[in-house]
Amino acid sequence: MRKLIFIIFIISTINCFSQIETVSVSKRATQNDSIKDVYLYIDSRNFFGSKGEYKTSFSIKSKDPRFSHDNFNFYILDNQLEERNIYSIGKYINKDLLDYVNPNDYFENKSILEIHDELSLLSIKNNKRIFIITYVQRKQIYMVWEAKYAGTIRDVTYTQLGKGPFYTEK
């Protein structure tokens, strides 16, 4: 009886482990070389949060008459997973060297579902990464952060006490 249970256990676990995708180191290196970065320009007034938990979003006027606007949200990623300020997470850039898009212009003729699908599919699995660019008025510089799409919400207006992370942090 023990042998039978053991054989059933082995057969069932083999099926589970055979579903795991394995990628060789050389294949991973090839994938990373072919990553196509997507740069979105978002106004600095649309950044929220503090000490390592930053979010940003852009809004598009809704085509559905029941709603006024649709927000597309992003988390700013900190690869060091520390509570760092927004300046130390991002990088200073020359915006003229990047091919970036203004989301309101780029997504103008697309439905909310098309936009949501496109942003959701931008991931490492699809050899793409999302970067957010903004102009920091206080320091008169352009900065860029890696970001992850966090979903869509309708008719929400984000507010923040104070002037936002670019003014409250040094």
Side-chain angles (χ1 to χ4, degrees), residues 38-42 98-107 133:
V38 176
Y39 292 88
L40 299 173
Y41 182 85
I42 297 180
L98 296 175
D99 185 21
Y100 67 92
V101 296
N102 180 331
N104 291 17
D105 297 336
Y106 182 75
F107 296 120
I133 300 172

Side-chain angles (χ1 to χ4, degrees), residues 132-168:
I132 304 297
I133 300 172
T134 197
Y135 179 70
V136 181
Q137 183 74 29
R138 178 177 176 220
K139 293 192 173 195
Q140 297 184 349
I141 56 169
Y142 284 90
M143 292 191 74
V144 64
W145 297 267
E146 187 172 356
K148 179 180 179 184
Y149 178 59
T152 304
I153 191 166
R154 290 184 149 170
D155 280 352
V156 171
T157 302
Y158 296 108
T159 58
Q160 178 168 278
L161 295 174
K163 295 181 179 180
F166 296 110
Y167 290 91
T168 58

Side-chain angles (χ1 to χ4, degrees), residues 50-54 76-86 88-90 169:
S50 64
K51 292 294 179 188
E53 293 186 21
Y54 299 101
I76 302 296
L77 301 178
D78 181 4
N79 295 332
Q80 295 182 10
L81 301 175
E82 296 177 7
E83 289 188 5
R84 301 188 302 156
N85 71 33
I86 196 154
S88 60
I89 294 172
E169 299 178 5

